[in-house]
Amino acid sequence: MKIGILGYGNLGRGVESAVRQNADMELVCIFTRRDPASVHPATEGVAVYPVDDVAKMQGKIDVLVLCGGSATDLPEQTPEYAKYFNVIDSFDTHARIPEHFANVDQAAKENGHVAMISCGWDPGMFSIMRLYGSAILPEGKDYTFWGKGVSQGHSDAIRRVPGVKNGKQYTIPVEAALEAVRSGANPELTTRQKHVRECFVVAEEGADLAQIEQDIKTMPNYFDEYDTTVHFISEEEFARDHAEIPHGGFVFRTGVTGLEKEHKHVVEYSLKLDSNPEFTSSVILAFARAINRLSNEGVSGCKTVFDIAPAYLSPLSGEELRAHML
Amino acid sequence: MKIGILGYGNLGRGVESAVRQNADMELVCIFTRRDPASVHPATEGVAVYPVDDVAKMQGKIDVLVLCGGSATDLPEQTPEYAKYFNVIDSFDTHARIPEHFANVDQAAKENGHVAMISCGWDPGMFSIMRLYGSAILPEGKDYTFWGKGVSQGHSDAIRRVPGVKNGKQYTIPVEAALEAVRSGANPELTTRQKHVRECFVVAEEGADLAQIEQDIKTMPNYFDEYDTTVHFISEEEFARDHAEIPHGGFVFRTGVTGLEKEHKHVVEYSLKLDSNPEFTSSVILAFARAINRLSNEGVSGCKTVFDIAPAYLSPLSGEELRAHML
């Protein structure tokens, strides 16, 4: 399988390293909006092209992995590049998925390609777990918790506060809430009861720390509905302790069965990830394998993780899977 | 969807109660090897027929759920009834799955039906988790733990020991082993390090308790490789405290990513089930929905949980799933 990458940020680099862990895959090239001479792939022999040259690689890439952002890049890029290749993205603006799906589906169908949107872990593996859970236990309740991990959106929001030089925000699930869900009690939980937010901030010299703290804690949408802690640290501490991008979370389905609904069941799926972009990339490549197979079968159009039979993700044959993994 | 049940034991009763939780399903009839007059379904209006009358119901059932045992029932029943219906079973003799698959596949294909074997939670949901885990993190390790829960096979083995009137065996994962796996340390674990076995035994009057305990603890294949505890209890205690059939377990995938394999990831899926047969039945019905859909699409042959796209399990449409669950 020949893989192309569009966009060489954290996610693009994650895809590059994940390709090396899959013997049936090869990274052919990276497309960038920057000056190609300024991009240095970690893998020898990988070409770097300007994004305007994408069409020239038609027929030479099995799946193009789109590594742009959900706010402005992917709504344009995924329908555009589905004209030339099978494509996969990690579009994560949940509310706009139906619209994005429709645009991508049309472009992919018109050009005989397979596209997948919203691949990763949420949306992605967590979505799959919500679906399995609700199909198996129709009388029950879903819970999704995120963290402990870095929220890029909240970290960006902190850095926009006057007097802030650098900042990082960790989303942390509340242990008591996790335990209440695990008990099968089906609790109703408010936003505040589910997660806390912890901020590490490097302030500009002479900045009003009390004001920064108040600005963060009262920021609408981002922090005002949460219990938030703000720690002021030095640039050195920031570089030493907060360079990584860990994340993770939990999906629960709790429900009842039995003639009298007398039996409780708790299904729990959790991720603890040292690197959010590298894990996301790893999920994307497994699904890239699936969409390449679908494409070889003559399928076209937009798919999501819901549409992919698990067997399509594995390099093993059906016989091998049944003999060793079932 | 019209559902039929063959075999009205714990699993058959579980299917019956699970049908009531799925608005798109209806239980049509139960087939039994016993005298039909001795079988009293909990659901009004459900017919009970002798198993020899199965063929008469052809065309009146969308999916027949086979609730027999894996040792002798299902190897005969699943290929036989795949001639008349779409069928689904919970065949769980892992080593014989390839042979069972081949037999069922041939019968299903020759007669234009869809069959699914080995559906439930292990094999079943746990198998799916092993597959997703290994496809996403190719450089890693799988771990499956079972329990805390009742092992029917081990409980049967206890009851065959001379002097034992009644007995139940709980398989319990060792907490230290779970923690070692959760840490991402990729430990090598022996059989003894992973699980302990706890037995509750009602002895015959005057039986030699020390002898019973030794017979259990040294029983080859079942107990000799485990740390086993034996508790002698009264018939009353047995009836009061050990009437239920709880189970559960854990599937882990731990692995590394990154150019230097410097990032660890831990994926954990766990089940805590008050009723093993009712949860298994609930999984079976979700997959019964999927095979009915495949059958309506003109598919035939034997499938496993690996072959089913998650979307096929849900009563919701693709649009609804994308809008609300992705």
Side-chain angles (χ1 to χ4, degrees):
Chain A
M1 266 184 73
K2 294 179 194 312
I3 300 289
I5 291 172
L6 196 151
Y8 196 60
N10 285 330
L11 190 61
R13 283 192 294 271
V15 173
E16 180 184 20
S17 70
V19 166
R20 298 172 171 216
Q21 297 187 292
N22 287 283
D24 58 342
M25 298 186 189
E26 176 198 353
L27 179 58
V28 173
C29 66
I30 294 165
F31 298 104
T32 179
R33 285 179 294 195
R34 289 180 271 168
D35 173 8
S38 73
V39 171
H40 305 288
T43 311
E44 243 179 278
V46 170
V48 182
Y49 299 121
V51 75
D52 294 338
D53 287 359
V54 155
K56 294 183 190 162
M57 290 300 286
Q58 220 179 340
K60 295 175 187 159
I61 293 171
D62 293 313
V63 180
L64 179 66
V65 183
L66 301 171
C67 300
S70 295
T72 55
D73 298 336
L74 297 176
E76 300 288 326
Q77 290 177 348
T78 316
E80 173 62 19
Y81 298 120
K83 295 178 187 164
Y84 306 105
F85 306 100
N86 300 317
V87 294
I88 185 165
D89 78 21
S90 58
F91 184 78
D92 66 358
T93 311
H94 292 259
R96 294 185 61 194
I97 284 173
E99 169 195 347
H100 188 50
F101 181 90
N103 293 339
V104 175
D105 192 46
Q106 191 184 343
K109 279 195 178 131
E110 283 175 2
N111 295 278
H113 293 125
V114 184
M116 175 173 283
I117 62 163
S118 303
C119 187
W121 59 273
D122 195 3
M125 295 310 299
F126 275 17
S127 322
I128 290 173
M129 295 305 140
R130 289 187 283 262
L131 199 168
Y132 278 127
S134 67
I136 293 170
L137 294 172
E139 294 189 54
K141 215 163 144 46
D142 282 323
Y143 297 88
T144 302
F145 293 86
W146 297 274
K148 182 181 178 175
V150 174
S151 163
Q152 300 288 1
H154 289 79
S155 299
D156 292 345
I158 290 176
R159 287 190 292 261
R160 287 192 297 264
V161 170
V164 170
K165 198 169 169 190
N166 211 343
K168 208 156 195 175
Q169 192 267 188
Y170 296 87
T171 306
I172 307 172
V174 174
E175 194 59 40
L178 293 175
E179 285 307 318
V181 172
R182 272 190 200 114
S183 76
N186 279 3
E188 292 289 338
L189 297 166
T190 64
T191 299
R192 193 177 296 274
Q193 286 171 323
K194 287 184 72 185
H195 297 92
V196 296
R197 300 197 176 279
E198 189 170 23
C199 308
F200 292 87
V201 174
V202 181
E204 308 274 7
E205 224 178 282
D208 179 345
L209 302 190
Q211 185 64 47
I212 289 175
E213 183 166 345
Q214 201 201 322
D215 287 354
I216 292 174
K217 288 185 171 177
T218 58
M219 198 186 297
N221 303 319
Y222 286 91
F223 292 99
D224 61 340
E225 289 182 52
Y226 296 86
D227 289 335
T228 301
T229 315
V230 178
H231 306 279
F232 291 97
I233 60 174
S234 69
E235 197 113 39
E236 293 69 38
E237 288 171 304
F238 192 89
R240 186 190 67 205
D241 300 336
H242 302 283
E244 298 281 342
I245 316 170
H247 219 315
F250 302 79
V251 173
F252 291 89
R253 179 73 178 185
T254 59
V256 292
T257 65
L259 289 173
E260 309 294 333
K261 319 215 190 281
E262 68 273 32
H263 292 126
K264 285 195 278 194
H265 306 277
V266 178
V267 183
E268 177 174 351
Y269 180 79
S270 73
L271 299 174
K272 287 194 202 76
L273 314 174
D274 275 0
S275 166
N276 182 357
E278 286 177 7
F279 187 80
T280 300
S281 304
S282 300
V283 176
I284 285 174
L285 283 191
F287 280 93
R289 181 181 288 119
I291 68 171
N292 184 48
R293 285 178 174 167
L294 288 177
S295 180
N296 290 338
E297 290 176 7
V299 172
S300 70
C302 189
K303 305 290 169 190
T304 75
V305 294
F306 295 153
D307 303 311
I308 306 298
Y312 277 80
L313 303 176
S314 172
L316 301 180
S317 70
E319 289 77 12
E320 290 170 311
L321 290 174
R322 287 190 294 274
H324 304 299
M325 222 170 273
L326 194 59
Chain B
M1 266 185 73
K2 294 179 193 310
I3 300 288
I5 292 173
L6 196 151
Y8 195 62
N10 285 329
L11 190 61
R13 282 192 294 271
V15 173
E16 180 185 20
S17 70
V19 165
R20 298 171 171 217
Q21 296 187 293
N22 287 283
D24 59 343
M25 299 186 189
E26 176 198 354
L27 179 59
V28 173
C29 67
I30 295 165
F31 298 103
T32 180
R33 286 179 294 195
R34 290 179 271 167
D35 172 9
S38 74
V39 171
H40 305 288
T43 312
E44 242 177 280
V46 171
V48 181
Y49 300 121
V51 74
D52 294 337
D53 287 359
V54 156
K56 293 183 191 161
M57 289 301 285
Q58 221 179 337
K60 295 175 186 158
I61 293 172
D62 293 312
V63 180
L64 179 65
V65 183
L66 301 172
C67 300
S70 296
T72 55
D73 297 337
L74 297 176
E76 300 288 326
Q77 289 176 348
T78 316
E80 173 63 19
Y81 298 121
K83 295 178 188 165
Y84 307 105
F85 306 101
N86 300 317
V87 294
I88 186 164
D89 78 20
S90 58
F91 185 78
D92 66 358
T93 311
H94 291 259
R96 294 185 61 193
I97 284 174
E99 169 195 347
H100 188 50
F101 182 90
N103 294 338
V104 174
D105 192 46
Q106 190 185 342
K109 280 195 176 132
E110 284 175 2
N111 296 278
H113 293 126
V114 184
M116 175 172 284
I117 63 163
S118 303
C119 187
W121 58 274
D122 196 2
M125 294 310 298
F126 274 16
S127 321
I128 289 173
M129 295 305 141
R130 288 187 284 261
L131 199 168
Y132 278 126
S134 66
I136 293 170
L137 295 172
E139 295 190 52
K141 217 163 143 43
D142 281 323
Y143 297 88
T144 303
F145 292 85
W146 296 274
K148 183 181 177 175
V150 174
S151 162
Q152 300 288 1
H154 289 79
S155 299
D156 292 344
I158 291 176
R159 287 190 291 263
R160 288 192 297 264
V161 169
V164 170
K165 199 169 169 188
N166 211 343
K168 209 156 194 177
Q169 193 266 189
Y170 296 87
T171 305
I172 306 173
V174 174
E175 193 57 41
L178 292 175
E179 284 307 318
V181 172
R182 272 190 201 116
S183 76
N186 278 4
E188 293 289 339
L189 297 166
T190 63
T191 299
R192 193 177 297 274
Q193 285 171 323
K194 288 184 71 184
H195 297 92
V196 296
R197 300 197 176 279
E198 189 170 24
C199 307
F200 292 86
V201 174
V202 181
E204 308 273 8
E205 223 177 284
D208 179 345
L209 302 190
Q211 185 63 47
I212 289 175
E213 183 166 345
Q214 201 201 322
D215 287 353
I216 291 174
K217 288 185 171 178
T218 59
M219 198 186 296
N221 303 319
Y222 286 92
F223 293 99
D224 61 340
E225 289 182 52
Y226 296 87
D227 289 334
T228 301
T229 315
V230 178
H231 306 279
F232 291 97
I233 59 174
S234 68
E235 197 112 40
E236 294 69 36
E237 288 171 304
F238 193 90
R240 186 191 67 204
D241 301 335
H242 303 282
E244 298 283 340
I245 316 171
H247 218 316
F250 302 80
V251 173
F252 291 90
R253 179 73 177 184
T254 60
V256 292
T257 65
L259 289 173
E260 310 293 334
K261 320 217 188 281
E262 67 274 31
H263 292 126
K264 286 194 278 193
H265 305 277
V266 179
V267 183
E268 177 174 351
Y269 179 79
S270 73
L271 299 174
K272 287 194 203 75
L273 313 174
D274 275 0
S275 166
N276 182 357
E278 286 177 7
F279 187 81
T280 300
S281 305
S282 299
V283 176
I284 285 174
L285 283 191
F287 281 92
R289 180 181 290 119
I291 68 171
N292 184 48
R293 284 178 175 168
L294 288 177
S295 179
N296 290 338
E297 290 175 6
V299 172
S300 70
C302 188
K303 304 290 169 190
T304 74
V305 293
F306 295 154
D307 304 311
I308 306 300
Y312 277 79
L313 303 176
S314 172
L316 301 178
S317 70
E319 288 77 13
E320 290 170 310
L321 291 175
R322 286 190 295 273
H324 304 298
M325 223 171 273
L326 193 60

